[in-house]
Amino acid sequence: MSKYIINNDDRAPELKGAVKVQGSKNGALPLIAAAALTDGEVVLKNCPDILDIENMLRIFESLGGKSERRGKELRLKMEYMNSAEISSALAGELRSSVFMLGAILSRVRQATVAYPGGCDIGLRPIDLHLKAFREMGVKIRDKYGFIRCDASNTHAADIDLDYPSVGATENVMMLAAGTPGVTTVKNAAREPEIAALQKLINLMGGHISGAGTSIVRIEGSDKFRGAETAVDFDRIVAGTYMTAVTLCGGEVMFEGADGEQLTALISKLKDTGAEIICSDKGIKISSSGNPKAVGSVETGAYPGFPTDLQAPFGALAAASSGSTVIIENIFETRFKYLAELTKMGASVKVKDRVAVLNGKRLCGAEVKAMDLRGGAALMVAGLKASGVTVIENARHIARGYEAPEEVLGALGANIVKV
Ligand code: EPZ
């Protein structure tokens, strides 16, 4: 089992230099699903080379698709969908396997998908996905751990999501794209990944508008062609490393990062005393390495403070001067990393979805990544902690971060993966 070792024997180095931010995991995953809408070739440029993408490609290929990676470019082709079933083994590996449902139903009108189940950060229900599909006429039998869908008589509908779910918005967009008539999704998610999916489907011959607002309108098309698009920068990876620079001090230019997609984080990092300049080249952040506590952080749907940056920000708060209240509104068990931070000397109190952190000097320790972003938080904390930090279960971090040891090492950190 691989692990990261961060060695700050004498002192935690400042981070200096430039990072070309990797492509977005959460941007690329639905684009791979959308490639199943057509028998033509779909090319995704700037696609990150990470475990979750590998697992999504295994699902894509299990349905009959072909994929070929040329560096950061992914060539996808589902000439024939010769299976419409996603096994529990594959669905269990990747929760976003459920994003394939809309595309499969759009293409072949039948699908059997194993319940993706929960993961390390919560129950992860899919009731909003299924409720919307039923409103579009999909017949669904969900029992024995499988969801069997018959979409032979789907129709357009006006969907009103109870919560602006990213996955449910994306799934409905893909089913509605291949369903005659005009479907609207109200209370749609507004994440940048929704606009990226709209852009690709429209390049493939679809007619979608409104992505980025809370009302998305999808006019069904009966045929899709191949297309090419570039995956946007990963705002969560960029945000993670920005918290690391704020904590360790130094100056880093995040090339290709769009500050407009990180306004909530940038506002909080400025409150800690970091200086941040956004331009069309990217985001430049400089910090003294003595961040002040910001009082409170509350996660919310985009453009609110991203739940995916709650853990990295918690690591920053754990070593900032003063106390910080963190409220996690999205997922019910996204504080597991805090128990690991206490091994490094963090002073933490947790009750339900509220954590209070009193900033302390952190010391290296042997800690365990329990999930993707919690693991990233331990990496951020280890970059600042004195002494040696060993992070077990590195595979959790590898699900979403491309070679963090190379990225951070190039900025001056003493980190290796073994
Ligand atoms: C996407 O997950 C992201 N994953 C998550 O990133 C991200 O944390 C989340 O959106 C919120 O921004 C991908 O894009 C692959 P949701 P998703 O549906 O679509 C509840 C990471 O670390 N809900 O917006 O699964 C749900 O329980 C991952 O990169 C229902 O109740 O998130 C949660 O409380 C983690 N019923 C809230 O909505 C449903 O049918 C937000 O979930 C669906 C969701």
Side-chain angles (χ1 to χ4, degrees):
M1 192 78 80
S2 52
K3 51 190 160 187
Y4 291 105
I5 300 176
I6 303 170
N7 189 340
N8 285 338
D9 261 348
D10 36 17
R11 57 182 291 282
E14 289 195 330
L15 301 176
K16 292 185 175 167
V19 175
K20 169 92 182 70
V21 184
Q22 73 178 62
S24 167
K25 167 180 87 76
N26 294 346
L29 290 168
L31 301 186
I32 295 172
L37 289 169
T38 174
D39 57 7
E41 182 178 66
V42 172
V43 180
L44 303 183
K45 291 181 173 304
N46 193 36
C47 193
D49 192 359
I50 50 179
L51 277 183
D52 274 12
I53 296 296
E54 278 175 37
N55 285 326
M56 190 68 163
L57 292 175
R58 285 171 55 205
I59 292 169
F60 186 79
E61 289 165 359
S62 73
L63 299 167
K66 299 264 181 295
S67 76
E68 182 195 351
R69 178 177 278 278
R70 294 181 191 166
K72 294 284 186 261
E73 183 179 282
L74 210 48
R75 292 175 171 269
L76 302 164
K77 190 163 189 174
M78 182 81 74
E79 195 163 358
Y80 305 101
M81 186 175 279
N82 45 37
S83 162
E85 182 156 341
I86 299 181
S87 69
S88 49
L90 285 173
E93 274 297 306
L94 186 70
R95 226 203 81 75
S96 24
S97 53
V98 75
F99 295 176
M100 283 303 304
L101 203 45
I104 299 170
L105 293 175
S106 228
R107 181 84 184 259
V108 295
R109 301 285 146 202
Q110 307 289 328
T112 299
V113 177
Y115 244 97
C119 65
D120 314 290
I121 60 175
L123 295 171
R124 310 295 296 275
I126 57 169
D127 56 315
L128 300 180
H129 300 237
L130 303 184
K131 179 170 177 279
F133 282 172
R134 285 190 170 104
E135 287 168 9
M136 294 179 69
V138 181
K139 300 271 179 293
I140 298 175
R141 280 181 303 125
D142 55 338
K143 55 183 166 187
Y144 310 124
F146 278 87
I147 306 155
R148 289 176 177 76
C149 299
D150 172 359
S152 38
N153 293 308
T154 47
H155 49 75
D158 288 333
I159 307 290
D160 217 319
L161 291 177
D162 295 349
Y163 176 86
S165 155
V166 175
T169 303
E170 291 166 343
N171 240 338
V172 172
M173 284 167 73
M174 286 187 263
L175 174 56
T179 299
V182 176
T183 294
T184 55
V185 182
K186 293 192 175 74
N187 197 22
R190 296 165 52 195
E191 274 74 357
E193 292 82 59
I194 307 297
L197 180 60
Q198 168 179 290
K199 179 180 171 191
L200 175 61
I201 294 177
N202 287 348
L203 287 169
M204 294 164 67
H207 304 286
I208 303 180
S209 58
T213 72
S214 53
I215 302 181
V216 177
R217 182 183 186 278
I218 307 109
E219 189 178 338
S221 311
D222 49 16
K223 187 91 180 88
F224 295 100
R225 56 181 177 265
E228 176 175 310
T229 191
V231 177
D232 204 348
F233 84 104
D234 193 309
R235 57 196 171 92
I236 306 302
V237 168
T240 303
Y241 293 146
M242 286 165 67
T243 54
V245 177
T246 304
L247 183 54
C248 296
E251 181 170 286
V252 175
M253 175 66 173
F254 290 90
E255 294 165 1
D258 172 5
E260 275 311 301
Q261 294 189 23
L262 282 161
T263 50
L265 174 73
I266 288 171
S267 166
K268 289 296 176 186
L269 293 182
K270 285 181 173 174
D271 290 350
T272 71
E275 279 177 35
I276 298 174
I277 300 166
C278 300
S279 68
D280 55 7
K281 289 190 178 49
I283 301 174
K284 185 161 87 170
I285 180 167
S286 43
S287 159
S288 64
N290 302 304
K292 295 191 300 287
V294 299
S296 70
V297 174
E298 186 160 1
T299 64
Y302 193 89
F305 192 95
T307 173
D308 295 346
L309 287 173
Q310 179 263 103
F313 198 89
L316 169 60
S320 295
S321 52
S323 74
T324 308
V325 176
I326 295 183
I327 303 165
E328 170 55 61
N329 290 314
I330 312 289
F331 290 110
E332 55 270 40
T333 44
R334 208 161 199 181
F335 280 148
K336 280 192 231 168
Y337 71 99
L338 292 172
E340 297 302 304
L341 282 185
T342 55
K343 294 178 187 172
M344 301 174 73
S347 162
V348 183
K349 286 267 180 296
V350 176
K351 181 146 177 44
D352 300 332
R353 299 218 184 172
V354 180
V356 181
L357 295 101
N358 294 309
K360 295 275 183 228
R361 282 178 58 77
L362 299 179
C363 309
E366 291 198 9
V367 289
K368 275 192 176 51
M370 316 293 259
D371 57 65
L372 167 57
R373 306 303 176 186
L378 299 177
M379 204 162 52
V380 171
L383 291 169
K384 180 74 173 182
S386 58
V388 180
T389 300
V390 179
I391 304 169
E392 306 277 353
N393 298 345
R395 64 182 167 75
H396 278 299
I397 302 171
R399 282 185 43 214
Y401 293 81
E402 263 182 359
E405 70 283 3
E406 289 174 17
V407 173
L408 294 165
L411 297 177
N414 309 312
I415 175 172
V416 292
K417 183 176 182 180
V418 294

